[in-house]
Amino acid sequence: MTGQHSLPRTRHEHLLRQLELHGSVSAADIAVQLGVSQVTVRRDIVELENAGRLARVHGGAIALGAPSVAQPARANIGVVVPSSVSHFPQIVRGMDAASRGGRTRVVLATSQYREELEQRQVERLVDVGVAGIILAPTMRSRTEAELAEWVSSVPVPVVFLERRLESTALAVYDSARTDHSRGAQLAVEHLASLGHRAVGLALFDRTPTAPLVRDGHGAAVARLGLADAPYAGLPKGEEGESDSLDDALVAFLEACLGGGVTAAVVHTDVHAARLVELATDRGIHVPDDLAIVAYDDDTASLAMVPLTSVTAPGRDLGQEVLRIMTERIASPDRTATAARHITMLPRLTVRESCGAIV
């Protein structure tokens, strides 16, 4: 194809501009925007990754901040996360920021929540010579014993990310995660401080975060002596699930208001934003009729009513987990130094949806 979009420099500038605006891009979307093939876009992404301008992920790329003066890397560190969208890009950016100071290079791969792909990605990273693996494992069908058996065969240090792993066999590994249970407690405590005596809970329950949010919500309700309130498990709401999501959210909304419950914690912020829309369609006002705190803060500020949300310590967590890995690479014998289990506290970002801002 001819024309200005066929010029590599023009394509690269467009790609980097979209990354600056959105934080991540898909090769398919960029190909449509530029009128070129996905093969061409993927080749551009590889060139920009080699130049240190972005990180390549399955199906596209994510931004890693402004480029710095190149330095010889001491070690490549492999990172395997389930997804390149939503929760993990901020963590990866934190790793990237920390890697520059430590003269390390982050090599990113995604598992798409598929255990077999996760294992292949780790094998590939080991084959290309990474000195360690930071891993957010998929736990949909494997047990912790099965995970421990597999990880014990990985020939480089492994640090777990964003998972609460309970077994003794896994406790010997370093880990860093967000305290999602405490984050849910922050949300309930805030709503209780505004005078609400019951707080409903709606969860996207097919995620590793959901059980921790449920535990934290229950602990805060019991400690504060709040009344029982409706609970709803929510589907993802994509690819044919939008009707079932709306049905679940409407049923939750009706159960709350029908029972005199005027506050709710909703995971995720995408689900919470949809709940606001459905409430508005029914003449229900947020926060006057129902105060909402979203769990997650990826797009919460963009909702019809900007959402008060539990904000994870993404960049801080990424910097911390990379520091742990760098130290573990320097001392790979797990029996020589104690395993470190780091838990970081999220914060509450107050916006209009809870009624605290007039």
Side-chain angles (χ1 to χ4, degrees), residues 86-122:
S86 187
H87 182 66
F88 287 98
Q90 283 293 330
I91 299 175
V92 173
R93 292 185 187 105
M95 294 183 202
D96 178 65
S99 73
R100 294 172 188 165
R103 289 171 55 200
T104 55
R105 176 175 178 264
V106 171
V107 184
L108 183 66
T110 59
S111 68
Q112 308 300 313
Y113 290 97
R114 292 161 47 198
E115 291 163 12
E116 70 282 0
L117 176 58
E118 179 178 284
Q119 294 192 25
R120 288 204 303 274
Q121 297 287 42
V122 169

Side-chain angles (χ1 to χ4, degrees), residues 108-168:
L108 183 66
T110 59
S111 68
Q112 308 300 313
Y113 290 97
R114 292 161 47 198
E115 291 163 12
E116 70 282 0
L117 176 58
E118 179 178 284
Q119 294 192 25
R120 288 204 303 274
Q121 297 287 42
V122 169
E123 291 166 1
R124 288 169 180 150
L125 290 168
V126 170
D127 287 345
V128 300
V130 298
I133 298 285
I134 295 171
L135 175 65
T138 296
M139 301 299 296
R140 287 183 173 174
S141 60
R142 63 158 63 115
T143 66
E144 289 197 7
E146 291 168 338
L147 175 62
E149 181 179 4
W150 168 56
V151 170
S152 68
S153 69
V154 177
V156 296
V158 174
V159 176
F160 289 114
L161 172 67
E162 280 294 59
R163 296 293 182 263
R164 183 175 67 180
L165 301 169
E166 304 288 355
S167 75
T168 302

Side-chain angles (χ1 to χ4, degrees), residues 2-245:
T2 59
Q4 68 171 355
H5 284 161
S6 67
L7 298 174
R9 181 177 177 180
T10 302
R11 296 196 307 269
H12 291 182
E13 289 175 350
H14 180 81
L15 240 168
L16 293 172
R17 185 163 59 251
Q18 293 302 305
L19 281 173
E20 182 179 356
L21 289 172
H22 304 293
S24 64
V25 297
S26 76
D29 289 345
I30 296 297
V32 170
Q33 293 166 15
L34 296 179
V36 298
S37 70
Q38 290 189 44
V39 172
T40 296
V41 175
R42 285 195 291 268
R43 185 164 56 241
D44 291 337
I45 288 173
V46 170
E47 291 176 5
L48 289 168
E49 182 184 46
N50 291 338
R53 306 296 300 277
L54 53 75
R56 183 163 44 114
V57 297
H58 181 77
I62 65 172
L64 292 181
S68 61
V69 177
Q71 298 182 31
R74 291 175 181 163
N76 288 337
I77 296 175
V79 178
V80 181
V81 296
S83 172
S84 61
V85 297
S86 187
H87 182 66
F88 287 98
Q90 283 293 330
I91 299 175
V92 173
R93 292 185 187 105
M95 294 183 202
D96 178 65
S99 73
R100 294 172 188 165
R103 289 171 55 200
T104 55
R105 176 175 178 264
V106 171
V107 184
L108 183 66
T110 59
S111 68
Q112 308 300 313
Y113 290 97
R114 292 161 47 198
E115 291 163 12
E116 70 282 0
L117 176 58
E118 179 178 284
Q119 294 192 25
R120 288 204 303 274
Q121 297 287 42
V122 169
E123 291 166 1
R124 288 169 180 150
L125 290 168
V126 170
D127 287 345
V128 300
V130 298
I133 298 285
I134 295 171
L135 175 65
T138 296
M139 301 299 296
R140 287 183 173 174
S141 60
R142 63 158 63 115
T143 66
E144 289 197 7
E146 291 168 338
L147 175 62
E149 181 179 4
W150 168 56
V151 170
S152 68
S153 69
V154 177
V156 296
V158 174
V159 176
F160 289 114
L161 172 67
E162 280 294 59
R163 296 293 182 263
R164 183 175 67 180
L165 301 169
E166 304 288 355
S167 75
T168 302
L170 293 172
V172 299
Y173 293 91
D174 300 307
S175 67
R177 65 180 181 87
T178 303
D179 190 346
H180 293 298
S181 175
R182 183 57 189 152
Q185 293 182 57
L186 286 174
V188 174
E189 289 167 356
H190 178 70
L191 290 167
S193 74
L194 297 175
H196 300 283
R197 302 314 304 157
V199 178
L201 177 64
L203 281 178
F204 173 32
D205 55 10
R206 297 203 310 255
T207 69
T209 301
L212 305 177
V213 173
R214 185 166 50 243
D215 289 350
H217 174 274
V221 165
R223 175 164 44 80
L224 297 171
L226 302 183
D228 291 339
Y231 166 81
L234 303 176
K236 187 173 185 179
E238 296 180 355
E239 299 295 331
E241 288 186 342
S242 58
D243 289 342
S244 59
L245 173 61

